Amino acid sequence: MRYMSIGFALNLGFALATCTSPFHVSAQVAYPDAARILHDMEKLPVVGSVLYIAAHPDDENTKLIAWLSNGKKVRTGYLSLTRGDGGQNLVGPELGDALGIIRTEELLAARGIDGGEQFFTRASDFGYSRSAEESFGKWGKREMLSDVVRVIRTFRPDIMITRFPPTRDAGHGHHEASAILAREAFDLAGDPKAFPEQLEQGLSVWQPRRLFFNGSTWWKKDLAEYARSHSDWHTVDVGGYDPLLGRSYTELAGRSRSMHKSQGFGAAETRGAQSEYLHFEKGDKPKSNDIFDGIDMTWGRVEGGAEVAMDVAALIAGYDVRAPEKSVDALARLSAAVDALPASKWKERTRIKVGKLLLEVTGTVVEALADAPQVVTGDSVYVALNILTRSSSPVEVVVPGKDGVPLGMNEPWTMKVGLRAPSRPDQPFWLEHPHGNMFRVADPALIGLPVTPPELQVPYTLRFQGGATVTGTVPVLHRTVDRVKGQLEQHCEVVPPVSLFASPGVLMVKDTAAVEHIGVEAFTDLSKAELICELVADWDLLPQRQELGPMKEGERLGASLKVVPSGATQRTLPYLRMEVGHTGPTNLTRRIIAYDHIPKRSWYTQATFRAVPIDIKVNAKRVGYIMGAGDDVPQALEQLGLTVDLIDPATATAQLLGNHDAIVVGIRAYNTDPAMKTLNPVLMDYVMQGGTVVAQYNTRSRDMVLPDSLIGPYPFTITRDRVTVEEAPPTFLDPKNPLLNTPNKIGPSDFNDWVQERGLYFVGDLDPHYTPLIGWNDPGEEPVNGALITCDYGKGRYVYTGISFFRQLPAGVPGAYRLFANLISRR
């Protein structure tokens, strides 16, 4: 092994600024085999692009994307209006912004399989929407149009495809909005008078050729027959097989869609012919069934592209699957031809692809490894830049101030590189600032991107036979080995010097005082650690300053705050910070998302907690909780002074259930846990003997372990009814019912300050034994009464609710706590 050392200060901005000539490319994250390399080469002759547009993660048609990217070999992108942060989570308790991070990474994992690229607008998913008009009212239509036009001008598609129609037939208001925006942006992207600030920022106008709507037999059962007799419908077979990939496009699509694990969208990897249907909407109408008819998809559309086309053809014709390195000379000629082209997106993109191929055909790996998984803001760190080539074709490392250093075949070369971490931690860029229904993105160049590169990057330059160079950066990684999972890698994160964590995040102060616990974690040695809680009007927070002494890296300490509402009637967000004798932010809470199917990610919020004064009575003492898809309701119930036991439905017994005043069934438990099928009769017997069961919402779908008619002691049907407007006024259908009066008198004020929605998947077709308690409706909709139902059964009480307590309780909504306390109260 050859070893060199060089120290210098570097951050991401420096790396990107110095690695754009002749082009910039990140080292590969996967190691393709010789067949996959040829597959990538076969994309080089195709100069065309398609942008698919919908509203959410999972809306995209992965079959069509896989066929476009791998069958037609066009550059294919998916623009999702939102990151799915308003949905539910089947893999854990994360909701809101945290769920948006998960679904962003799931989309990137999906695109890594089907070959597409991923884009977003700045829209935050605020949950189900009844109409596009409502959606635009939340987001702002001009802002959304600006983002869609920006992505079109950046990506420059020849064809755009929407998943939904621009009418109420789209169902979800976000779906309808995505189609409306696509239609309007189709025209505006080519208009220099539309959003001229984008042109001043370096973009140029772009007019797509065609817009299609991707219909489905899911909505129109006779679409196949209908499409055959209507010329505006185009039918494509997406079920082709690629021997270089060893899979059909629909197999790729199944794997891609199965990455949407937080939504439980595991899909089959199907084989055989399968049709997709595209309706021509506007633009230059094709004269045949080929949606690309009349569009030049060759290098003939690019000025000076003829020589590139010849070099690409020669590259593919001369490729030797047994000796990929023989393609280096052809790639060098191609890179020179591409460099000679006038500036364009296709020049930039193709140069990147050629550089990637040079690395791949020579088996060259570039990586930067750190000894630790993280580095603190402002600190220095040394990392090992490792380069290895595994072919006989000559490769040189270009080191600043030195001649090229030749690499020996299969002989590792290492250079020690000194980096200085920037002053900000790694963080999803769209969450750097507080936001409402639109994320705040300070740099317009980031709008549309899924993520930004990690802060720590190492530049490199390699020279290949024939004179072609590859200049790029690689992220700094930390590598470990797990005895079960094997080798694991994660980005070396830039973190703040300290993280503060308040527990609970929402403190319900139901007595004269409550105690908030503060955890302090040091990510570096700290000469001092003093916790400071800023003063808040009408609240006493004691002590206001706490000396914790010096701290060692990795050390965790705890502190307590006495929280006293001195006349306070409104919730507050106390501001926490540290004095630590180190540079960098000291007022942040680090939150970590870690699942096996996506990269580990950290995100940060301001160090605070929510203190909420609440007038509430609770006459239960011990509650059993059966987890479903995952939520934070058990922790919320503990705030009421309850003992909450997590119950495993696979091992629960009648005796165990009988030790509790109430049993609460978590969201979607009957969708996610097969053991609920055998436990449910035991739950009903528990009610019969005098217990209380509160079951939260489920969905009526094929994954139900019991038919909805058998979930309760008497039948009901789970519907898709919901109330999405969180301000929708309630109607009390049985005002004298104990659940609305004991131990807390529930009134209209208890439904103030709710978040995102009232509830979802309400029930209908109620057996006469049930009593509905609350009626609701969204504006312009008919009232629905299946949000909260109850019945007596034997000596006990059964409650089923679609009210979104799983959102309201963790958000600290006082009225939701008061109502839930009534639901679990002893009779």
Side-chain angles (χ1 to χ4, degrees):
M1 174 184 292
R2 282 175 287 179
Y3 179 89
M4 298 185 65
S5 177
I6 184 171
F8 55 90
L10 175 72
N11 60 32
L12 179 57
F14 176 82
L16 294 182
T18 57
C19 295
T20 55
S21 178
F23 82 109
H24 171 78
V25 62
S26 295
Q28 65 268 45
V29 295
Y31 308 111
D33 57 30
R36 184 59 189 250
I37 292 173
L38 179 56
H39 177 271
D40 291 343
M41 286 182 177
E42 289 181 346
K43 290 187 175 184
L44 290 173
V46 183
V47 185
S49 54
V50 176
L51 182 64
Y52 199 93
I53 300 179
H56 308 107
D58 85 357
D59 285 345
E60 80 276 23
N61 185 337
T62 55
K63 294 177 182 178
L64 195 57
I65 289 175
W67 172 75
L68 287 165
S69 177
N70 299 285
K72 300 301 290 184
K73 295 181 171 52
V74 296
R75 185 185 182 197
T76 307
Y78 173 46
L79 170 57
S80 175
L81 297 190
T82 75
R83 296 176 185 266
D85 35 308
Q88 289 84 53
N89 185 0
L90 287 185
V91 297
E94 295 89 353
L95 295 173
D97 289 342
L99 180 58
I101 297 172
I102 292 173
R103 293 194 175 174
T104 295
E105 294 295 340
E106 287 179 339
L107 275 175
L108 289 173
R111 299 294 80 80
I113 294 170
D114 60 36
E117 300 175 43
Q118 187 61 50
F119 301 93
F120 295 97
T121 73
R122 290 171 293 167
S124 176
D125 181 355
F126 57 83
Y128 186 82
S129 172
R130 294 285 183 183
S131 67
E133 181 181 7
E134 179 194 22
S135 300
F136 292 142
K138 299 266 190 181
W139 291 329
K141 186 176 181 182
R142 177 174 173 78
E143 289 78 3
M144 292 296 292
L145 265 175
S146 172
D147 286 6
V148 177
V149 167
R150 181 182 291 275
V151 172
I152 294 172
R153 288 172 172 175
T154 301
F155 188 74
R156 303 170 77 81
D158 298 299
I159 292 175
M160 293 168 52
I161 302 174
T162 65
R163 184 48 167 164
F164 303 103
T167 65
R168 291 303 304 122
D169 291 339
H172 199 311
H174 296 176
H175 296 169
E176 180 187 3
S178 69
I180 292 172
L181 291 168
R183 290 178 67 88
E184 296 188 20
F186 179 88
D187 297 321
L188 293 175
D191 183 357
K193 295 180 181 179
F195 308 107
E197 69 279 3
Q198 297 180 4
L199 308 183
E200 296 170 1
Q201 294 160 2
L203 295 178
S204 57
V205 296
W206 179 258
Q207 181 57 60
R209 292 282 297 273
R210 291 166 191 155
L211 175 68
F212 291 92
F213 157 56
N214 180 199
S216 173
T217 54
W218 178 264
W219 302 305
K220 185 176 176 60
K221 300 301 181 184
D222 62 344
L223 182 56
E225 181 179 351
Y226 187 85
R228 282 195 293 269
S229 58
H230 290 75
S231 61
D232 282 346
W233 281 97
H234 299 258
T235 303
V236 297
D237 179 7
V238 299
Y241 170 75
D242 190 327
L244 295 179
L245 300 177
R247 296 182 180 91
S248 66
Y249 308 129
T250 48
E251 286 177 293
L252 287 176
R255 293 191 177 192
S256 172
R257 189 160 184 80
S258 295
M259 294 311 299
H260 295 299
K261 298 185 186 302
S262 66
Q263 302 185 71
F265 278 173
E269 300 174 22
T270 60
R271 303 182 182 95
Q274 183 164 336
S275 295
E276 288 290 337
Y277 306 95
L278 300 169
H279 183 264
F280 174 75
E281 297 285 309
K282 63 193 311 185
D284 173 19
K285 185 176 180 179
K287 297 179 181 179
S288 70
N289 190 57
D290 181 6
I291 64 173
F292 296 98
D293 183 33
I295 300 177
D296 186 357
M297 307 290 284
T298 72
W299 279 99
R301 67 189 292 181
V302 178
E303 181 184 352
E307 185 174 348
V308 172
M310 289 189 294
D311 287 337
V312 167
L315 169 68
I316 296 172
Y319 182 70
D320 185 345
V321 72
R322 300 294 303 176
E325 69 274 12
K326 292 181 180 179
S327 296
V328 170
D329 286 336
L331 284 167
R333 288 191 295 271
L334 176 57
S335 67
V338 173
D339 287 342
L341 293 174
S344 71
K345 288 290 183 181
W346 281 107
K347 173 182 178 176
E348 176 185 336
R349 176 172 170 76
T350 304
R351 191 65 174 89
I352 291 174
K353 291 168 72 173
V354 172
K356 181 173 179 286
L357 286 168
L358 280 165
L359 294 172
E360 291 172 352
V361 300
T362 57
T364 300
V365 179
V366 184
E367 61 183 14
L369 298 179
D371 292 334
Q374 59 198 31
V375 58
V376 172
T377 52
D379 279 0
S380 298
V381 61
Y382 277 93
V383 302
L385 175 63
N386 300 326
I387 303 177
L388 175 69
T389 187
R390 291 170 286 186
S391 79
S392 58
S393 181
V395 180
E396 292 182 343
V397 182
V398 179
V399 179
K402 300 178 180 293
D403 294 330
V405 179
L407 299 177
M409 178 179 174
N410 216 28
E411 182 180 345
W413 178 91
T414 296
M415 182 171 70
K416 195 174 183 181
V417 179
L419 306 179
R420 184 174 300 281
S423 60
R424 63 181 186 182
D426 279 298
Q427 159 93 318
F429 72 88
W430 66 94
L431 296 179
E432 287 187 2
H433 306 286
H435 68 87
N437 291 319
M438 291 285 282
F439 296 115
R440 293 171 53 200
V441 179
D443 184 357
L446 299 181
I447 297 173
L449 297 182
V451 295
T452 50
E455 293 286 355
L456 290 181
Q457 301 273 331
V458 177
Y460 67 91
T461 299
L462 299 177
R463 184 181 297 119
F464 293 81
Q465 181 175 306
T469 61
V470 174
T471 298
T473 64
V474 286
V476 178
L477 303 175
H478 175 65
R479 184 173 291 158
T480 57
V481 177
D482 182 270
R483 291 182 64 184
V484 175
K485 298 179 181 179
Q487 180 171 292
L488 301 176
E489 289 181 348
Q490 68 179 75
H491 289 123
C492 180
E493 272 190 77
V494 178
V495 298
V498 66
S499 172
L500 306 177
F501 189 85
S503 179
V506 177
L507 181 67
M508 308 304 292
V509 186
K510 65 184 183 70
D511 297 316
T512 56
V515 176
E516 180 73 6
H517 301 282
I518 310 297
V520 181
E521 182 177 7
F523 299 130
T524 188
D525 290 345
L526 304 175
S527 60
K528 61 178 293 187
E530 183 177 14
L531 173 64
I532 301 170
C533 184
E534 301 293 347
L535 299 177
V536 180
D538 299 324
W539 290 83
D540 289 332
L541 304 163
L542 306 171
Q544 195 257 331
R545 302 177 75 99
Q546 297 184 59
E547 290 278 359
L548 303 180
M551 295 182 67
K552 294 291 186 182
E553 179 182 350
E555 186 176 3
R556 299 182 181 185
L557 296 177
S560 297
L561 282 173
K562 185 178 182 181
V563 180
V564 183
S566 301
T569 59
Q570 300 294 323
R571 68 189 68 187
T572 188
L573 290 168
Y575 180 76
L576 304 173
R577 63 184 177 90
M578 297 286 294
E579 288 188 4
V580 299
H582 194 286
T583 59
T586 60
N587 62 338
L588 299 177
T589 297
R590 184 192 189 195
R591 304 175 187 275
I592 297 176
I593 294 172
Y595 292 100
D596 286 346
H597 68 295
I598 57 176
K600 179 180 176 182
R601 290 288 181 256
S602 295
W603 64 296
Y604 294 86
T605 57
Q606 291 293 310
T608 186
F609 62 94
R610 181 173 294 171
V612 184
I614 185 172
D615 177 16
I616 188 170
K617 300 180 180 65
V618 184
N619 65 16
K621 294 183 179 180
R622 194 176 198 97
V623 173
Y625 200 91
I626 299 171
M627 294 298 294
D631 58 57
D632 289 328
V633 173
Q635 298 91 319
L637 295 180
E638 289 177 339
Q639 297 253 25
L640 302 180
L642 297 168
T643 298
V644 181
D645 299 321
L646 295 182
I647 293 178
D648 182 355
T651 58
T653 63
Q655 181 179 0
L656 175 65
L657 300 182
N659 294 331
H660 298 87
D661 297 316
I663 303 296
V664 180
V665 182
I667 60 174
R668 300 179 78 162
Y670 290 95
N671 297 108
T672 60
D673 197 328
M676 289 301 298
K677 182 176 182 178
T678 54
L679 178 65
N680 204 62
V682 184
L683 283 173
M684 296 304 104
D685 186 64
Y686 164 78
V687 177
M688 177 73 74
Q689 300 304 318
T692 295
V693 165
V694 179
Q696 298 178 84
Y697 92 93
N698 293 268
T699 63
R700 191 180 191 188
S701 56
R702 66 177 183 271
D703 60 5
M704 292 190 72
V705 300
L706 277 175
D708 48 1
S709 60
L710 299 180
I711 288 177
Y714 306 105
F716 56 72
T717 299
I718 298 173
T719 74
R720 297 188 67 83
D721 290 342
R722 62 176 76 206
V723 175
T724 64
V725 176
E726 57 266 32
E727 299 86 6
T731 298
F732 300 122
L733 303 175
D734 186 15
K736 295 183 180 180
N737 192 286
L739 293 181
L740 297 177
N741 292 276
T742 305
N744 303 287
K745 176 68 175 178
I746 303 300
S749 63
D750 287 304
F751 296 89
N752 295 337
D753 301 322
W754 284 42
V755 298
Q756 184 162 323
E757 62 196 359
R758 291 299 196 189
L760 66 172
Y761 300 110
F762 297 165
V763 293
D765 299 326
L766 301 181
D767 183 278
H769 287 89
Y770 289 110
T771 299
L773 299 181
I774 295 178
W776 263 320
N777 62 276
D778 281 326
E781 300 285 334
E782 292 296 318
V784 290
N785 64 2
L788 179 61
I789 63 171
T790 185
C791 71
D792 292 335
Y793 184 62
K795 300 177 183 179
R797 179 169 58 211
Y798 179 82
V799 177
Y800 188 95
T801 178
I803 294 175
S804 57
F805 288 109
F806 71 102
R807 296 192 191 279
Q808 312 309 322
L809 298 183
V813 177
Y817 273 88
R818 286 165 47 84
L819 178 56
F820 207 93
N822 286 8
L823 301 185
I824 60 176
S825 64
R826 296 195 300 270
R827 298 186 55 137

